[in-house]
Amino acid sequence: MYRKKREMLPVEEVDISNIKYTPQHIQAPHLTGFGFMLFTWLMEAPLIGSLITSFLKHKNGVTEMLKNTVIPERPMFRPEFPPQDPETGVIVLDEDRHPIARLEAAMECLPLYDPSRHWNPDRPSNFLYWTIRDYAHAYRSDITTPLIVAERIISAVDEFNGKKPPVPLLISFNADEVRKQAADSTERFRAGNPLSIMDGVFIAIKDDIDCYPHPTKGGTTWFHEVLTVKQDAVCVSRLRSCGVILVGKANMHELGLGTTGNNPNYGTARNPYSFERYTGGSSSGPAALVASGICSAAVGTDGGGCSVRIPSSLCGIVGLKTTFARTDMTGSLCDCGTVEVVSPLAATVEDATLVYAAMAGSSKADRNSLNPSPLCCPNLSSNNNLNILQSVRLGKYTEWFNDVSNNDISNKCEDAVNLLSSNFGCEIIEITLPEIEEMRTAHIVSIGSESLCGLNAYCEERKYSQLTLDTRTSLALFRSFSAADYVAAQRLRRRIMYYYMEAFKKVDIIVTPTTGITAPKIPLSSLQYGESNYETSGYLMRFILAGNLLGLPAISVPVGHDKQGLPIGLQLIGRPWSEASILRVAFAVEELCLGHRKRPSQFYDVLKAI
């Protein structure tokens, strides 16, 4: 029987004033334990599996959108950006320069360092984390050495691993390798020749990014058997050249295909604010390492927000997702996708800025095809900084903003936005962003198809069976997407890009909560076999997909806690290549909200050991 197709208007003809927001609800079973094992077996069964995936896609509107809708736009197979006006009040870093030179330029952007702010015995009670500049000061002033700090970090990692149940923050860790790097750094300071402001700073690398001599497993038990690491990823090499001490490969949700950080292969990383709760994923280990004070920063990948911004929000730290192709992806497992980037997680906006300055820089191919705007940092030491903040227009889609599981989240985020307005005069403008459900569909088809394509070359049938149940059910869903589905998703990408570019004609930054839920509890039944909870994933991913599908820069900044003491993050989404602009506002948010934040219960002062 012929079914009438839904025909979408050309995007230019859509009357945005008539758009009605529809709350998002994902319909899928919550599964753990034996029930999850049975469901996975059924999903992978040839006939029954296709019936289950067809049913789930129909219930969630995916079939209607991809197969029964006429989408008039041309496909956009990777983010395409219109030319952007130059950012104001910035210092250009010049990505052709050595990372150390870029760091030196970035340092000129920061306010003067005041040692008394953190090193005074009467330091403020709202002091949370040592910064990269604090480490540099401690080393240069002979307060401590990288080697001493390394021993404290090794002890902290051992303590985590020794907990019952274990809390493995690192999948690959070699204490002697860390000591060797720290000894080399200590010797450079003794000789008076540190390489950069980041010499001796400890950084963890997510397990889907190459960091020699560690294997890259992507959170699996076997990926290192089919892919040998011969050198650092480009972003890791840039950090190493600055004297950074690379702690090891941090735990993650297997292959990055999940939002919680659950990993039965190595154990699930726990949230430093509450060990009964998830860190968020897939960069679970990186976020926990930074939040607990063990590392100043970490490097993760962000393909669905679940990898950098979500764990940063749930763990009360800063997560910067850069513009698509802003940083060379060579050496990461996801280096050929169209939604993924490598990006920093850090304790502070300042540290995220410095790590970004050192590791950023597009590949030659992306520079030729995308023509990125210059790599910049906001000049916070300029007298014009306040004037620039006063001119910032913040876009808020209120109905979307308030679609959260807990009013504490929307209230805290709204308080932060209002503080920007009352303290700096930022204008808050109501906007509408249509087709949010369509964006979710386009994203899952894009990242799912690209992930499956990347895995096919390495996965024999027996390898698939060694993946976690969570990963296997995701891959079963991804296999159900056709080439026509993928093209339809790219048509939707072009439509949604149009809506955002139109919004950016009226505003400079779009503000949302980072997540629609604070850190979820870890079911005990999930520790052995994993968990599938698409409702929780929907809340976690509610606000972050535009950054990935459209390639836009975004940052999560902690703004406070809910009534249970769990962190809440505010997300700032910027125009293409506008990292400097969102970092400027993020600095302001961080300063305004510092008094509303507190340290996690699990915290290690590895710099001063007090």
Side-chain angles (χ1 to χ4, degrees):
M1 182 177 177
Y2 175 74
R3 177 169 181 159
K4 187 175 180 180
K5 298 285 186 180
R6 170 195 173 199
E7 293 194 18
M8 303 179 90
L9 283 173
V11 67
E12 297 87 352
E13 298 177 17
V14 175
D15 184 357
I16 292 180
S17 64
N18 288 331
I19 297 296
K20 303 297 182 185
Y21 180 76
T22 303
Q24 302 174 58
H25 299 289
I26 298 177
Q27 299 183 55
H30 177 199
L31 299 164
T32 61
F34 177 77
F36 195 11
M37 294 175 67
L38 177 61
F39 182 79
T40 303
W41 180 81
L42 292 172
M43 283 281 283
E44 294 178 333
L47 179 59
I48 301 174
S50 63
L51 291 175
I52 294 173
T53 54
S54 295
F55 175 77
L56 290 174
K57 289 192 293 184
H58 174 74
K59 291 290 287 184
N60 289 284
V62 175
T63 304
E64 177 70 20
M65 175 51 52
L66 298 177
K67 298 190 183 301
N68 300 323
T69 302
V70 177
I71 309 168
E73 281 68 40
R74 296 183 294 111
M76 179 186 286
F77 289 106
R78 68 196 305 231
E80 299 171 7
F81 306 127
Q84 301 295 309
D85 293 333
E87 294 181 277
T88 57
V90 300
I91 290 179
V92 176
L93 303 184
D94 186 357
E95 57 186 274
D96 286 324
R97 300 170 72 190
H98 192 279
I100 292 175
R102 293 206 304 265
L103 267 179
E104 291 171 351
M107 288 288 293
E108 296 176 13
C109 298
L110 302 177
L112 288 175
Y113 176 69
D114 180 8
S116 66
R117 186 176 182 185
H118 289 170
W119 291 100
N120 190 321
D122 300 321
R123 66 190 181 195
S125 59
N126 62 3
F127 171 72
L128 294 173
Y129 291 102
W130 298 106
T131 67
I132 287 172
R133 291 200 286 180
D134 288 329
Y135 278 84
H137 172 77
Y139 297 154
R140 286 163 171 77
S141 304
D142 293 326
I143 295 172
T144 190
T145 69
L147 197 51
I148 292 173
V149 174
E151 291 300 333
R152 294 169 183 163
I153 288 174
I154 291 166
S155 296
V157 171
D158 288 342
E159 182 178 327
F160 264 98
N161 290 337
K163 291 183 181 295
K164 301 295 183 184
V167 187
L169 302 184
L170 293 156
I171 287 176
S172 179
F173 175 70
N174 185 322
D176 289 339
E177 171 67 18
V178 172
R179 289 188 180 102
K180 180 181 182 304
Q181 293 178 73
D184 291 344
S185 177
T186 299
E187 185 56 38
R188 289 193 292 270
F189 278 101
R190 284 178 178 157
N193 296 311
L195 294 176
S196 76
I197 193 71
M198 290 177 66
D199 201 335
V201 170
F202 294 79
I203 290 182
I205 306 298
K206 186 182 176 185
D207 192 37
D208 61 353
I209 304 169
D210 290 348
C211 178
Y212 187 80
H214 298 277
T216 293
K217 301 179 182 179
T220 71
T221 59
W222 55 264
F223 214 93
H224 60 295
E225 297 173 5
V226 297
L227 188 68
T228 302
V229 174
K230 299 179 180 178
Q231 60 185 9
D232 290 335
V234 169
C235 61
V236 174
S237 174
R238 290 168 177 168
L239 293 173
R240 196 188 292 272
S241 72
C242 297
V244 163
I245 297 172
L246 302 165
V247 173
K249 303 298 290 296
N251 203 350
M252 61 179 287
H253 204 116
E254 188 180 63
L255 295 176
L257 298 179
T259 59
T260 60
N262 184 293
N263 189 323
N265 295 328
Y266 298 98
T268 296
R270 306 303 185 98
N271 195 310
Y273 281 88
S274 173
F275 265 31
E276 293 74 39
R277 294 181 182 268
Y278 283 120
T279 58
S282 57
S283 298
S284 51
L289 284 160
V290 174
S292 60
I294 295 173
C295 292
S296 296
V299 180
T301 52
D302 192 311
C306 46
S307 298
V308 167
R309 287 165 289 158
I310 288 175
S312 293
S313 179
L314 268 52
C315 291
I317 60 172
V318 176
L320 171 64
K321 185 265 165 194
T322 58
T323 306
F324 173 74
R326 174 61 93 181
T327 303
D328 193 329
M329 293 281 291
T330 303
S332 68
L333 292 186
C334 47
D335 62 359
C336 61
T338 68
V339 297
E340 194 117 13
V341 298
V342 287
S343 286
L345 305 85
T348 65
V349 178
E350 177 180 304
D351 288 355
T353 301
L354 291 175
V355 177
Y356 164 67
M359 65 181 275
S362 304
S363 68
K364 290 183 179 178
D366 286 332
R367 274 199 253 178
N368 291 334
S369 61
L370 292 171
N371 191 28
S373 299
L375 181 64
C376 304
C377 281
N379 189 355
L380 303 176
S381 61
S382 165
N383 293 330
N384 200 36
N385 186 54
L386 183 59
N387 293 333
I388 296 172
L389 277 173
Q390 289 173 340
S391 69
V392 171
R393 301 167 298 170
L394 304 173
K396 180 186 174 194
Y397 186 8
T398 299
E399 289 181 285
W400 188 34
F401 192 100
N402 292 333
D403 188 9
V404 295
S405 65
N406 180 342
N407 287 339
D408 289 350
I409 297 171
S410 52
N411 291 340
K412 286 289 184 183
C413 289
E414 186 160 9
D415 289 346
V417 173
N418 290 336
L419 284 171
L420 285 171
S421 177
S422 60
N423 283 269
F424 298 108
C426 299
E427 184 181 2
I428 304 170
I429 299 173
E430 183 67 24
I431 59 173
T432 299
L433 296 167
E435 300 179 15
I436 290 174
E437 280 295 299
E438 287 81 352
M439 177 168 62
R440 187 184 75 185
T441 298
H443 174 267
I444 193 170
V445 174
S446 298
I447 193 171
S449 300
E450 292 167 10
S451 298
L452 190 61
C453 179
L455 284 171
N456 280 340
Y458 301 106
C459 285
E460 304 168 2
E461 195 62 37
R462 64 183 181 86
K463 296 297 187 186
Y464 275 115
S465 66
Q466 295 176 36
L467 295 169
T468 61
L469 301 178
D470 185 15
T471 301
R472 287 164 60 186
T473 54
S474 293
L475 294 177
L477 173 63
F478 299 161
R479 286 191 201 98
S480 74
F481 297 137
S482 67
D485 293 337
Y486 186 77
V487 173
Q490 309 322 304
R491 291 177 181 271
L492 291 173
R493 192 195 314 235
R494 187 173 296 279
R495 286 180 69 86
I496 297 161
M497 181 71 84
Y498 175 87
Y499 293 131
Y500 274 76
M501 292 305 103
E502 287 298 297
F504 282 125
K505 292 177 181 178
K506 302 173 184 176
V507 303
D508 303 300
I509 289 173
I510 296 169
V511 294
T512 73
T514 306
T515 62
I517 190 173
T518 50
K521 285 188 176 180
I522 304 172
L524 291 177
S525 57
S526 74
L527 295 177
Q528 184 174 359
Y529 297 113
E531 177 185 21
S532 177
N533 189 338
Y534 279 92
E535 182 180 4
T536 292
S537 294
Y539 273 116
L540 289 173
M541 299 177 72
R542 179 142 300 168
F543 303 104
I544 48 74
L545 297 180
N548 301 105
L549 184 68
L550 307 182
L552 302 174
I555 190 169
S556 178
V557 189
V559 294
H561 305 264
D562 67 6
K563 290 183 178 64
Q564 300 178 80
L566 301 172
I568 294 168
L570 176 73
Q571 178 180 225
L572 310 172
I573 306 172
R575 295 187 179 94
W577 314 117
S578 68
E579 286 85 357
S581 296
I582 62 172
L583 284 167
R584 184 190 310 279
V585 177
F587 270 103
V589 171
E590 181 179 59
E591 192 67 28
L592 291 170
C593 296
L594 192 59
H596 303 292
R597 296 171 55 200
K598 58 187 178 182
R599 273 183 178 173
S601 55
Q602 193 73 38
F603 181 82
Y604 295 87
D605 191 338
V606 298
L607 184 58
K608 207 170 182 182
I610 57 173

